[in-house]
Amino acid sequence: MTEVAEMKAPCITKVLEDAKEDLENAELPGFAGKVFNPIRDEILVPATAKAGEMIPLAANAIPLPYVDEVSAFAMSVPFAAMKAGYSLIPHKEVDDEANEDAVRGFEEAFKRNQRPKPLASSMMGVVGFACNSIIDILTIPFNGKFGDWLEATKKFLGFMMYSGVGSELLDAFADFNVLENMLIIGRVQNER
């Protein structure tokens, strides 16, 4: 590209350079690829390169403000639509390569962390639960769920009092041996 075009219309130049690069990297599979790929190599890529040289010069010649920005946006919309459409086409080779990369990544991560770490896992679960709870509590006034929380709390406490579980729970936690009792329950559950 000429220096004048790059200096005077940088937005258009960038859009056309990106379009040329995307076009060079685009490959269609199967019969469509046998037809499209040679047309891309022999016609579309050179035409895009020539447009990348000429269109910025033409934009510089137009004495209106924001020609570069508006033209770049107008050209980028159909290019983005084409990229979105191209991304919907199944590419078996690309999918297989991505799957192999993912498997390699999982294997490497597994080799680094082969032994399970139950204490670290439990602590991360506790930290995650605490963070989510704090976020929920802090956002209650802003997301309009305060009434729902209040209603659920009333129903829960009502159930606890009506069923008698609440008084038993309070008596159990008010006991001086509460820590020992919880350890005993944990050991019994661990044995099962």
Side-chain angles (χ1 to χ4, degrees), residues 22-61:
D22 291 340
L23 192 58
E24 289 171 342
N25 293 330
E27 287 202 28
L28 293 177
F31 180 74
K34 289 181 182 181
V35 173
F36 171 76
N37 294 340
I39 293 172
R40 177 205 61 211
D41 293 336
E42 300 300 325
I43 298 170
L44 296 176
V45 171
T48 306
K50 188 53 95 173
E53 294 172 5
M54 309 232 6
I55 292 176
L57 292 174
N60 290 338

Side-chain angles (χ1 to χ4, degrees), residues 77-99:
V77 170
F79 292 150
M82 285 188 278
K83 281 177 73 172
Y86 178 76
S87 69
L88 298 175
I89 298 171
H91 294 84
K92 184 169 175 30
E93 299 85 18
V94 174
D95 293 342
D96 291 344
E97 183 180 340
N99 287 339

Side-chain angles (χ1 to χ4, degrees), residues 1-184:
M1 306 235 175
T2 64
E3 291 182 63
V4 175
E6 289 181 287
M7 292 171 50
K8 297 273 185 162
C11 296
I12 292 175
T13 304
K14 174 137 178 51
V15 167
L16 289 171
E17 285 175 353
D18 290 346
K20 181 180 174 237
E21 183 180 334
D22 291 340
L23 192 58
E24 289 171 342
N25 293 330
E27 287 202 28
L28 293 177
F31 180 74
K34 289 181 182 181
V35 173
F36 171 76
N37 294 340
I39 293 172
R40 177 205 61 211
D41 293 336
E42 300 300 325
I43 298 170
L44 296 176
V45 171
T48 306
K50 188 53 95 173
E53 294 172 5
M54 309 232 6
I55 292 176
L57 292 174
N60 290 338
I62 299 172
L64 294 173
Y66 305 111
V67 169
D68 182 35
E69 291 82 3
V70 171
S71 300
F73 175 75
M75 286 190 291
S76 68
V77 170
F79 292 150
M82 285 188 278
K83 281 177 73 172
Y86 178 76
S87 69
L88 298 175
I89 298 171
H91 294 84
K92 184 169 175 30
E93 299 85 18
V94 174
D95 293 342
D96 291 344
E97 183 180 340
N99 287 339
E100 289 173 9
D101 286 344
V103 167
R104 265 186 264 131
F106 286 134
E107 286 174 351
E108 289 174 11
F110 183 72
K111 287 177 184 175
R112 281 193 308 260
N113 303 315
Q114 283 187 344
R115 290 188 309 170
K117 300 174 183 166
L119 180 63
S121 175
S122 297
M123 291 305 293
M124 291 302 289
V126 168
V127 169
F129 176 75
C131 289
N132 284 336
S133 298
I134 290 169
I135 290 170
D136 283 345
I137 291 169
L138 291 177
T139 58
I140 284 174
F142 305 111
N143 62 13
K145 293 186 179 180
F146 184 71
D148 295 341
W149 274 93
L150 195 58
E151 188 66 29
T153 304
K154 284 181 191 176
K155 288 181 180 179
F156 178 72
L157 292 176
F159 168 76
M160 296 293 276
M161 299 314 273
Y162 179 74
S163 65
V165 175
S167 62
E168 290 178 13
L169 204 59
L170 183 61
D171 291 343
F173 278 105
D175 189 5
F176 287 112
N177 297 326
V178 67
L179 185 59
E180 293 173 11
N181 292 341
M182 290 175 72
L183 289 172
I184 292 169

